[in-house]
Amino acid sequence: MLVRLTWNSLQLTHADSKPIDWLRLFEQASSAGGLDFPVRVHKAHSKFEPISMRLVIIKKPPEAAAKALAKAIRASRKNRRRTDARTIAGAEHIVLLTSLTDDAFSTETIGALYRLRWQIEIAIKRLKSILHIDRLPAKAPDLARAWLYAHLLFALLLDDMTAELGAVSP
């Protein structure tokens, strides 16, 4: 599992069950360029057993951090709230929670996997908007599968053709 979250998305603690000081973590991640450490995910007011996971904090490029900060400030103003200091500090970072082990997946690999996942989401969004692949006209499983396969094949052919056209000079 690999998901992106914000400092206030989930109830997390360090592996030793101490609360997380997000401002200090973001400061450490800024100076080190990123952080990677074990955490426990808790469910509030429940007998749910905490799950051991891994928190990866990656510093964003300056232009992406500036955009995220401006967006956070706009959202706070819109809701007539003061922008939390943790939100300001967190705008400079990508916070990822994963079940992938650090011995098999380095921090850099986790970042690359997240970026790849994002590219897949963009491709699916494009399929939905251009080919309307989200509007399945068939209800029978075999017909639905055939319709979906035909549209995916068409999408692959379109990608191949556009790649060839991009290689030809005007």
Side-chain angles (χ1 to χ4, degrees):
M1 181 210 61
L2 175 62
V3 295
R4 184 174 180 177
L5 50 108
T6 60
W7 65 268
N8 57 354
S9 297
L10 295 171
Q11 185 180 351
L12 302 175
T13 62
H14 288 280
D16 60 3
S17 296
K18 291 182 181 173
I20 291 179
D21 180 353
W22 286 99
L23 283 175
R24 198 182 67 143
L25 277 184
F26 289 138
E27 186 180 304
Q28 289 174 345
S30 288
S31 62
L35 284 179
D36 184 345
F37 60 94
V39 293
R40 295 175 55 112
V41 181
H42 299 267
K43 183 171 182 185
H45 313 298
S46 170
K47 294 181 181 174
F48 175 78
E49 187 66 29
I51 299 172
S52 295
M53 301 288 267
R54 182 172 158 210
L55 191 69
V56 177
I57 302 174
I58 301 170
K59 189 153 173 56
K60 289 181 187 176
E63 57 278 353
K67 268 182 159 175
L69 179 58
K71 183 178 176 182
I73 291 171
R74 270 193 316 274
S76 293
R77 285 184 183 154
K78 181 179 177 183
N79 296 328
R80 297 181 182 185
R81 291 187 316 226
R82 204 183 68 171
T83 308
D84 191 293
R86 294 169 288 194
T87 301
I88 292 171
E92 297 179 3
H93 303 87
I94 295 172
V95 180
L96 303 171
L97 184 69
T98 184
S99 59
L100 301 172
T101 60
D102 57 353
D103 57 331
F105 297 90
S106 68
T107 303
E108 293 78 22
T109 304
I110 294 294
L113 283 172
Y114 177 74
R115 287 186 292 278
L116 176 63
R117 183 201 59 82
W118 185 245
Q119 293 302 313
I120 292 168
E121 283 189 30
I122 290 170
I124 290 170
K125 188 174 184 178
R126 189 172 52 240
L127 287 172
K128 287 175 163 181
S129 67
I130 296 172
L131 298 179
H132 304 291
I133 210 161
D134 57 335
R135 297 184 192 134
L136 193 60
K139 302 297 180 213
D142 289 339
L143 286 175
R145 191 175 299 108
W147 185 90
L148 188 59
Y149 287 161
H151 280 74
L152 289 174
L153 180 60
F154 182 60
L156 288 172
L157 291 170
L158 280 176
D159 276 352
D160 195 42
M161 288 173 52
T162 56
E164 285 180 21
L165 289 175
V168 177
S169 82

